[in-house]
Amino acid sequence: MFETTTDAVHPRFTKKPAYPLSGFKIALVQLAVGPDKSKNVAQAVKEIHLAKEKGAQLVALPECFNSPYGTQFFKEYAEEVPSGSTCHALSKAAAEAGVCVIGGTLPERCGEKLYNTCTVWDNTGKLLARHRKMHLFDIDIPNKITFKESDVLSAGDQITTFEYQGIKIGLGICYDLRFPEMARLMADQGCSLLVYPGAFNMTTGPQHWELLGRARAVDQQLWVALAAPARDPAAHYVSWGHSTLIDPWGAVRAHLTDQPDTLLADIDLSTVDEVRSQIPVRVQRRTDIYDTIQKS
């Protein structure tokens, strides 16, 4: 658990974490995902170990890293959490590599329901968090893309944050990135980093992927990591790729193209306090007139 200190700028400021670490190295693994589930998982495990060898302390995988993305695939590839084979592989990899693993997403089966779920494993292989995608991807852009996750998936109903080595991290999945209220609640809970495994498509990706990531970073004055699968032009659903790391100033610190690769970068946590003290919008909000609250 991290200790907190009262902010000296204004008593209305939410208490902020006293970080035990000034920074850490993150790896965003942009995997090529195919129809072979075991091959997808094996490649993810390999990349987790390679990231550790390069100094990563936190490794994030992309959305639907163990299966093709599509409503027709979710039921076939679904498994229970944490008892499924993919979860066992992630837990073992995290423990053997000695890193925290944000396991992208996988189709989760829970009773009669299916969810798009992100699991998080600490460096001993313990399950730290599970986030079920809250906002389902139901869109219709004529002559470009029509998709309706709600035909198959159920929506999660929880804001998800976790702590690793004293650092508070928030989770969202792909379409969750479009909802600033969700990011606000995670920031209010003390997060200095938000991680979004996502697979924006070839229509919305070029327009909004980086833009939304930068918006959330600037809005909440924190780091944002976007972890995407690599592009496969032959796939039923084609991912934009472009995994990206954005700092609290809204600057892109590192990004990939559309090919399989790993983004490895340092996160300086002191930048969070720097931005929030220099541009103190968090204490200037007119909470006497408006506010963002968590209802349940």
Side-chain angles (χ1 to χ4, degrees):
M1 299 296 290
F2 62 86
E3 298 177 353
T4 59
T5 57
T6 302
D7 191 283
V9 176
H10 198 290
R12 283 170 49 208
F13 201 132
T14 303
K15 288 184 177 181
K16 64 186 180 183
Y19 303 115
L21 297 175
S22 61
F24 63 95
K25 192 175 292 292
I26 188 172
L28 307 181
V29 181
Q30 190 162 284
L31 289 169
V33 179
D36 188 326
K37 182 177 180 179
S38 60
K39 183 178 179 180
N40 293 333
V41 174
Q43 185 62 34
V45 168
K46 177 182 177 182
E47 295 298 335
I48 289 169
H49 284 278
L50 288 174
K52 169 63 177 181
E53 291 174 7
K54 295 175 182 178
Q57 295 153 283
L58 177 69
V59 181
L61 304 178
E63 183 178 24
C64 279
F65 79 92
N66 72 340
S67 72
Y69 182 78
T71 54
Q72 70 273 40
F73 301 113
F74 294 146
K75 185 176 181 179
E76 175 187 354
Y77 286 79
E79 59 183 67
E80 293 184 352
V81 173
S83 60
S85 59
T86 301
C87 287
H88 282 302
L90 291 178
S91 174
K92 182 179 179 182
E96 289 182 348
V99 295
C100 179
V101 174
I102 297 177
T105 80
L106 54 83
E108 177 196 3
R109 180 182 295 108
C110 183
E112 296 299 315
K113 293 184 176 182
L114 297 178
Y115 297 94
N116 190 353
T117 300
C118 177
T119 60
V120 182
W121 309 86
D122 73 8
N123 59 354
T124 69
K126 175 185 175 182
L127 181 64
L128 280 182
R130 169 170 56 185
H131 176 67
R132 291 169 171 167
K133 190 174 187 177
M134 288 182 57
H135 303 92
L136 297 183
F137 183 52
D138 289 2
I139 70 166
D140 183 11
I141 303 176
N143 303 315
K144 291 186 177 180
I145 183 170
T146 298
F147 204 94
K148 195 172 183 181
E149 277 187 327
S150 63
D151 283 342
V152 176
L153 298 178
S154 296
D157 59 5
Q158 298 291 325
I159 301 291
T160 307
T161 65
F162 67 95
E163 290 179 28
Y164 180 66
Q165 295 186 354
I167 303 162
K168 198 71 172 288
I169 299 170
L171 296 174
I173 298 171
C174 202
Y175 204 54
D176 287 340
L177 180 62
R178 291 187 179 273
F179 297 86
E181 300 90 345
M182 179 179 171
R184 174 75 208 182
L185 292 171
M186 292 190 284
D188 282 349
Q189 291 181 25
C191 291
S192 54
L193 166 67
L194 303 183
V195 180
Y196 293 90
F200 272 43
N201 55 72
M202 297 299 294
T203 298
T204 62
Q207 297 291 330
H208 296 154
W209 175 244
E210 181 185 308
L211 175 65
L212 287 167
R214 294 181 70 188
R216 298 294 81 81
V218 171
D219 285 347
Q220 307 309 328
Q221 300 176 311
L222 39 62
W223 289 84
V224 170
L226 310 175
R231 187 181 306 171
D232 177 2
H236 174 78
Y237 178 97
V238 182
S239 168
W240 169 240
H242 290 81
S243 297
T244 303
L245 180 67
I246 303 158
D247 75 13
W249 288 104
V252 173
R253 287 296 189 93
H255 66 92
L256 301 177
T257 60
D258 57 5
Q259 297 301 301
D261 201 352
T262 294
L263 182 160
L264 197 70
D266 292 312
I267 288 182
D268 181 1
L269 295 172
S270 68
T271 310
V272 176
D273 289 336
E274 173 188 298
V275 173
R276 290 179 179 180
S277 65
Q278 295 180 22
I279 308 176
V281 293
R282 290 164 59 87
V283 301
Q284 295 168 336
R285 296 175 74 243
R286 288 295 303 275
T287 54
D288 56 324
I289 298 173
Y290 58 83
D291 207 352
T292 303
I293 62 171
Q294 185 168 341
K295 298 180 68 174
S296 63

PDB file of all heavy atoms in Angstrom, residues 58-72:
ATOM      1  N   LEU A  58       7.028  -3.498 -16.066  1.00  0.00           N
ATOM      2  CA  LEU A  58       5.600  -3.642 -16.334  1.00  0.00           C
ATOM      3  C   LEU A  58       5.437  -3.931 -17.821  1.00  0.00           C
ATOM      4  O   LEU A  58       5.973  -3.199 -18.659  1.00  0.00           O
ATOM      5  CB  LEU A  58       4.853  -2.362 -15.955  1.00  0.00           C
ATOM      6  CG  LEU A  58       3.347  -2.316 -16.235  1.00  0.00           C
ATOM      7  CD1 LEU A  58       2.607  -3.279 -15.313  1.00  0.00           C
ATOM      8  CD2 LEU A  58       2.809  -0.903 -16.051  1.00  0.00           C
ATOM      9  N   VAL A  59       4.734  -5.014 -18.144  1.00  0.00           N
ATOM     10  CA  VAL A  59       4.540  -5.425 -19.539  1.00  0.00           C
ATOM     11  C   VAL A  59       3.051  -5.470 -19.838  1.00  0.00           C
ATOM     12  O   VAL A  59       2.285  -6.102 -19.103  1.00  0.00           O
ATOM     13  CB  VAL A  59       5.162  -6.812 -19.811  1.00  0.00           C
ATOM     14  CG1 VAL A  59       4.975  -7.193 -21.279  1.00  0.00           C
ATOM     15  CG2 VAL A  59       6.637  -6.828 -19.434  1.00  0.00           C
ATOM     16  N   ALA A  60       2.637  -4.781 -20.901  1.00  0.00           N
ATOM     17  CA  ALA A  60       1.219  -4.756 -21.282  1.00  0.00           C
ATOM     18  C   ALA A  60       1.037  -5.386 -22.660  1.00  0.00           C
ATOM     19  O   ALA A  60       1.764  -5.073 -23.606  1.00  0.00           O
ATOM     20  CB  ALA A  60       0.691  -3.332 -21.284  1.00  0.00           C
ATOM     21  N   LEU A  61       0.056  -6.274 -22.761  1.00  0.00           N
ATOM     22  CA  LEU A  61      -0.296  -6.940 -24.010  1.00  0.00           C
ATOM     23  C   LEU A  61      -1.511  -6.245 -24.633  1.00  0.00           C
ATOM     24  O   LEU A  61      -2.214  -5.481 -23.968  1.00  0.00           O
ATOM     25  CB  LEU A  61      -0.614  -8.410 -23.744  1.00  0.00           C
ATOM     26  CG  LEU A  61       0.469  -9.238 -23.045  1.00  0.00           C
ATOM     27  CD1 LEU A  61      -0.030 -10.668 -22.801  1.00  0.00           C
ATOM     28  CD2 LEU A  61       1.754  -9.259 -23.861  1.00  0.00           C
ATOM     29  N   PRO A  62      -1.815  -6.521 -25.894  1.00  0.00           N
ATOM     30  CA  PRO A  62      -2.933  -5.840 -26.561  1.00  0.00           C
ATOM     31  C   PRO A  62      -4.288  -6.501 -26.318  1.00  0.00           C
ATOM     32  O   PRO A  62      -4.384  -7.594 -25.744  1.00  0.00           O
ATOM     33  CB  PRO A  62      -2.548  -5.938 -28.031  1.00  0.00           C
ATOM     34  CG  PRO A  62      -1.771  -7.212 -28.125  1.00  0.00           C
ATOM     35  CD  PRO A  62      -0.999  -7.311 -26.836  1.00  0.00           C
ATOM     36  N   GLU A  63      -5.332  -5.828 -26.775  1.00  0.00           N
ATOM     37  CA  GLU A  63      -6.681  -6.372 -26.703  1.00  0.00           C
ATOM     38  C   GLU A  63      -6.765  -7.642 -27.546  1.00  0.00           C
ATOM     39  O   GLU A  63      -6.191  -7.735 -28.629  1.00  0.00           O
ATOM     40  CB  GLU A  63      -7.694  -5.349 -27.225  1.00  0.00           C
ATOM     41  CG  GLU A  63      -9.142  -5.817 -27.113  1.00  0.00           C
ATOM     42  CD  GLU A  63     -10.148  -4.788 -27.596  1.00  0.00           C
ATOM     43  OE1 GLU A  63      -9.780  -3.911 -28.420  1.00  0.00           O
ATOM     44  OE2 GLU A  63     -11.300  -4.853 -27.155  1.00  0.00           O
ATOM     45  N   CYS A  64      -7.513  -8.635 -27.032  1.00  0.00           N
ATOM     46  CA  CYS A  64      -7.731  -9.919 -27.720  1.00  0.00           C
ATOM     47  C   CYS A  64      -6.427 -10.490 -28.261  1.00  0.00           C
ATOM     48  O   CYS A  64      -6.317 -10.812 -29.447  1.00  0.00           O
ATOM     49  CB  CYS A  64      -8.759  -9.761 -28.835  1.00  0.00           C
ATOM     50  SG  CYS A  64     -10.466  -9.784 -28.254  1.00  0.00           S
ATOM     51  N   PHE A  65      -5.442 -10.636 -27.375  1.00  0.00           N
ATOM     52  CA  PHE A  65      -4.131 -11.123 -27.811  1.00  0.00           C
ATOM     53  C   PHE A  65      -4.117 -12.626 -28.039  1.00  0.00           C
ATOM     54  O   PHE A  65      -3.220 -13.145 -28.713  1.00  0.00           O
ATOM     55  CB  PHE A  65      -3.050 -10.749 -26.789  1.00  0.00           C
ATOM     56  CG  PHE A  65      -3.005 -11.644 -25.575  1.00  0.00           C
ATOM     57  CD1 PHE A  65      -2.176 -12.744 -25.547  1.00  0.00           C
ATOM     58  CD2 PHE A  65      -3.828 -11.405 -24.483  1.00  0.00           C
ATOM     59  CE1 PHE A  65      -2.139 -13.585 -24.443  1.00  0.00           C
ATOM     60  CE2 PHE A  65      -3.801 -12.226 -23.374  1.00  0.00           C
ATOM     61  CZ  PHE A  65      -2.955 -13.331 -23.360  1.00  0.00           C
ATOM     62  N   ASN A  66      -5.094 -13.355 -27.484  1.00  0.00           N
ATOM     63  CA  ASN A  66      -5.071 -14.813 -27.651  1.00  0.00           C
ATOM     64  C   ASN A  66      -6.074 -15.306 -28.686  1.00  0.00           C
ATOM     65  O   ASN A  66      -6.201 -16.506 -28.907  1.00  0.00           O
ATOM     66  CB  ASN A  66      -5.311 -15.523 -26.309  1.00  0.00           C
ATOM     67  CG  ASN A  66      -6.748 -15.415 -25.819  1.00  0.00           C
ATOM     68  OD1 ASN A  66      -7.494 -14.529 -26.243  1.00  0.00           O
ATOM     69  ND2 ASN A  66      -7.144 -16.309 -24.928  1.00  0.00           N
ATOM     70  N   SER A  67      -6.803 -14.389 -29.311  1.00  0.00           N
ATOM     71  CA  SER A  67      -7.817 -14.797 -30.287  1.00  0.00           C
ATOM     72  C   SER A  67      -8.013 -13.711 -31.329  1.00  0.00           C
ATOM     73  O   SER A  67      -7.730 -12.535 -31.074  1.00  0.00           O
ATOM     74  CB  SER A  67      -9.154 -15.049 -29.584  1.00  0.00           C
ATOM     75  OG  SER A  67      -9.744 -13.824 -29.168  1.00  0.00           O
ATOM     76  N   PRO A  68      -8.519 -14.067 -32.499  1.00  0.00           N
ATOM     77  CA  PRO A  68      -8.901 -13.027 -33.455  1.00  0.00           C
ATOM     78  C   PRO A  68     -10.004 -12.166 -32.846  1.00  0.00           C
ATOM     79  O   PRO A  68     -10.788 -12.636 -32.015  1.00  0.00           O
ATOM     80  CB  PRO A  68      -9.419 -13.823 -34.652  1.00  0.00           C
ATOM     81  CG  PRO A  68      -8.858 -15.197 -34.487  1.00  0.00           C
ATOM     82  CD  PRO A  68      -8.765 -15.421 -33.010  1.00  0.00           C
ATOM     83  N   TYR A  69     -10.061 -10.897 -33.246  1.00  0.00           N
ATOM     84  CA  TYR A  69     -11.089  -9.998 -32.735  1.00  0.00           C
ATOM     85  C   TYR A  69     -12.307 -10.071 -33.647  1.00  0.00           C
ATOM     86  O   TYR A  69     -12.220  -9.828 -34.843  1.00  0.00           O
ATOM     87  CB  TYR A  69     -10.565  -8.559 -32.666  1.00  0.00           C
ATOM     88  CG  TYR A  69     -11.573  -7.590 -32.103  1.00  0.00           C
ATOM     89  CD1 TYR A  69     -11.798  -7.510 -30.740  1.00  0.00           C
ATOM     90  CD2 TYR A  69     -12.306  -6.766 -32.945  1.00  0.00           C
ATOM     91  CE1 TYR A  69     -12.735  -6.628 -30.218  1.00  0.00           C
ATOM     92  CE2 TYR A  69     -13.237  -5.877 -32.435  1.00  0.00           C
ATOM     93  CZ  TYR A  69     -13.450  -5.816 -31.076  1.00  0.00           C
ATOM     94  OH  TYR A  69     -14.384  -4.952 -30.571  1.00  0.00           O
ATOM     95  N   GLY A  70     -13.450 -10.408 -33.057  1.00  0.00           N
ATOM     96  CA  GLY A  70     -14.690 -10.495 -33.836  1.00  0.00           C
ATOM     97  C   GLY A  70     -15.755 -11.224 -33.044  1.00  0.00           C
ATOM     98  O   GLY A  70     -15.443 -12.166 -32.292  1.00  0.00           O
ATOM     99  N   THR A  71     -17.001 -10.807 -33.192  1.00  0.00           N
ATOM    100  CA  THR A  71     -18.088 -11.419 -32.421  1.00  0.00           C
ATOM    101  C   THR A  71     -18.228 -12.904 -32.736  1.00  0.00           C
ATOM    102  O   THR A  71     -18.683 -13.675 -31.885  1.00  0.00           O
ATOM    103  CB  THR A  71     -19.415 -10.699 -32.703  1.00  0.00           C
ATOM    104  OG1 THR A  71     -19.648 -10.672 -34.126  1.00  0.00           O
ATOM    105  CG2 THR A  71     -19.384  -9.275 -32.182  1.00  0.00           C
ATOM    106  N   GLN A  72     -17.836 -13.314 -33.931  1.00  0.00           N
ATOM    107  CA  GLN A  72     -17.950 -14.723 -34.300  1.00  0.00           C
ATOM    108  C   GLN A  72     -16.884 -15.593 -33.634  1.00  0.00           C
ATOM    109  O   GLN A  72     -16.982 -16.825 -33.655  1.00  0.00           O
ATOM    110  CB  GLN A  72     -17.885 -14.883 -35.819  1.00  0.00           C
ATOM    111  CG  GLN A  72     -16.521 -14.616 -36.448  1.00  0.00           C
ATOM    112  CD  GLN A  72     -16.293 -13.172 -36.792  1.00  0.00           C
ATOM    113  OE1 GLN A  72     -16.668 -12.282 -36.048  1.00  0.00           O
ATOM    114  NE2 GLN A  72     -15.666 -12.932 -37.948  1.00  0.00           N
TER     115      GLN A  72
END
